[in-house]
């Protein structure tokens, strides 16, 4: 920095004039403090409330994703709607085209009847009934086994009821229930329980087969072998016929060669020992005095006296 400039005397004279000129100092850096350290300029603030501007590429990607999502939703809705419409059309078509026939996928017992009309279903069920009736049927209880057949017992498949049950399968209930059954039959068969028929002689035939191996019930009574005596009742193990019929019906739905375990129950007598004793006293009172026995036509009579 230059304060004052002194001009030397000119070489033209020894007593030349001394000339002075004041020069103002020059400020080299207005922003520089007196200490000499530089001051950095303050950057503009970006912490204001204005939202950052989205990059154009990111905005394009977001828009494209939204368009693809909407397109996917439309396609999904179209596919689902098409499937639903196709199912409804198929459901109505089956109802119209299958009148008088067993619906597709219906199985009665172990007999597939889908697509058959009434006469065809009857013939197929009659054939199966005869096969089942002739098949050996082994009954087992405790350590006993007897072999019989459905024909011998008078038990078997009821063909006429079976045909009606098969024709009604999938056609009863509410519209929603029928539509649900239709959708189910698209993937698997519908099994219907086979109706059975028990002959009037079933109980007698069952007793005839099992009597040699079971203890017969004791009938309470008053006996006479020179004097009156009582035959008292007691508990007896007998076959539970309703339960056995249910087991045989299940066997028609799923035929098998293994024995049918006969259900037994202990049956208490209807009369008690007190009832028999009271009857015995009445009988003794009757023969305490002479008794006259007369034939129906009155032609003969016999007088009995107490011993």
């Amino acid at each position: 920095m230059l304060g004052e400039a002194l001009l030397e005397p000119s070489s033209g004279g020894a007593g030349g004039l001394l000339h002075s000129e004041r020069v103002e100092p020059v400020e080299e850096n207005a922003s520089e403090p007196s200490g000499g350290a530089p001051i950095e300029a303050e950057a503009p603030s970006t912490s204001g409330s204005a939202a950052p501007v989205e990059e154009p590429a990111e905005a394009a990607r977001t828009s494209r994703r939204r368009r693809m999502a909407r397109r996917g939703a439309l396609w999904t809705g179209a596919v689902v709607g098409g499937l639903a419409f196709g199912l409804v059309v198929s459901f109505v078509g089956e109802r119209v085209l299958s009148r008088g026939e067993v619906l597709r996928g219906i199985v009665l017992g172990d007999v597939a009847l889908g697509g058959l009309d009434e006469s065809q279903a009857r013939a197929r069920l009659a054939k199966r009934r005869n096969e089942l009736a002739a098949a050996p049927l082994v009954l087992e209880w405790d350590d006993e086994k007897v072999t019989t057949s459905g024909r011998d017992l008078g038990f078997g498949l009821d063909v006429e009821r079976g045909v009606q049950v098969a024709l009604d399968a999938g056609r009863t209930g509410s519209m929603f229930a029928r539509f649900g059954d239709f959708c189910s039959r698209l993937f698997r068969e519908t099994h219907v329980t086979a109706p059975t028929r028990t002959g009037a002689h079933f109980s007698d035939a069952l007793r005839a087969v099992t009597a040699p191996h079971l203890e017969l019930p004791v009938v309470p009574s008053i006996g006479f072998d020179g004097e009156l005596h009582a035959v008292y009742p007691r508990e007896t193990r007998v076959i539970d016929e309703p339960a056995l019929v249910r087991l045989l019906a299940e066997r028609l739905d799923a035929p098998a060669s293994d024995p049918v375990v006969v259900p037994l129950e202990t049956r208490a007598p209807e009369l008690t020992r007190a009832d028999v004793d009271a009857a015995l006293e009445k009988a003794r009172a009757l023969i305490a005095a002479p008794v006259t026995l007369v034939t129906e036509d009155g032609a003969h009579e016999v007088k009995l006296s107490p011993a």
Side-chain angles (χ1 to χ4, degrees):
M1 182 183 293
L2 182 61
E4 294 181 353
L6 296 180
L7 301 177
E8 294 292 337
S10 62
S11 57
L17 181 62
L18 177 63
H19 179 72
S20 65
E21 181 178 354
R22 185 175 182 84
V23 179
E24 294 294 332
V26 179
E27 188 174 352
E28 296 181 359
N29 191 346
S31 62
E32 183 175 336
S34 59
I39 298 178
E40 295 181 359
E42 185 176 352
S45 175
T46 59
S47 60
S49 60
V53 178
E54 188 176 16
E55 294 293 337
E58 181 63 25
R61 284 194 295 269
T62 301
S63 177
R64 184 164 57 253
R65 283 195 297 267
R66 290 174 179 172
R67 287 197 305 271
M68 292 177 64
R70 285 196 298 268
R71 189 178 298 116
L74 290 175
W75 274 105
T76 301
V79 171
V80 173
L83 289 175
F85 180 75
L87 286 174
V88 172
V89 171
S90 299
F91 172 71
V92 174
E94 182 187 52
R95 292 291 183 256
V96 174
L97 299 177
S98 299
R99 288 178 180 174
E101 295 180 353
V102 180
L103 295 178
R104 176 187 48 80
I106 299 298
V107 178
L108 185 79
D110 65 337
V111 184
L113 300 176
L116 302 182
D117 60 24
E118 183 174 349
S119 60
Q120 292 171 331
R122 181 177 291 106
R124 183 170 294 185
L125 287 179
K127 179 182 178 182
R128 186 56 177 154
R129 175 197 59 193
N130 295 336
E131 293 172 351
L132 293 172
L137 180 63
V138 180
L139 303 179
E140 179 183 32
W141 68 95
D142 297 336
D143 296 328
E144 302 289 343
K145 281 186 180 182
V146 295
T147 302
T148 181
S149 67
R151 181 177 291 113
D152 293 337
L153 294 177
F155 179 87
L157 177 65
D158 190 332
V159 174
E160 293 304 320
R161 286 177 55 205
V163 171
Q164 192 59 50
V165 168
L167 289 172
D168 291 341
R171 290 188 167 94
T172 57
S174 65
M175 184 64 69
F176 291 105
R178 284 179 280 174
F179 183 73
D181 176 78
F182 165 77
C183 294
S184 175
R185 286 185 287 105
L186 292 176
F187 305 99
R188 59 183 178 85
E189 297 175 333
T190 297
H191 287 265
V192 183
T193 300
T196 59
R197 179 178 179 274
T198 304
H201 68 286
F202 176 79
S203 296
D204 295 335
L206 183 61
R207 280 194 294 270
V209 172
T210 59
H213 309 278
L214 282 175
E215 182 182 8
L216 295 177
V218 175
V219 179
S221 59
I222 305 299
F224 183 80
D225 55 357
E227 63 179 11
L228 295 176
H229 66 275
V231 179
Y232 292 106
R234 63 174 182 268
E235 291 183 344
T236 310
R237 294 180 72 203
V238 297
I239 295 175
D240 186 351
E241 289 190 16
L244 177 59
V245 169
R246 289 193 295 270
L247 290 176
L248 294 177
E250 293 174 1
R251 182 59 61 93
L252 290 184
D253 284 336
S257 58
D258 55 309
V260 176
V261 179
V262 177
L264 300 175
E265 62 177 352
T266 301
R267 184 170 298 173
E270 296 180 0
L271 297 177
T272 64
R273 292 180 65 91
D275 295 329
V276 178
D277 287 338
L280 180 60
E281 292 303 319
K282 290 181 180 180
R284 286 172 177 168
L286 287 175
I287 63 173
V291 177
T292 301
L293 303 178
V294 182
T295 59
E296 188 175 359
D297 58 2
H300 304 278
E301 65 180 33
V302 177
K303 292 183 178 181
L304 301 176
S305 298

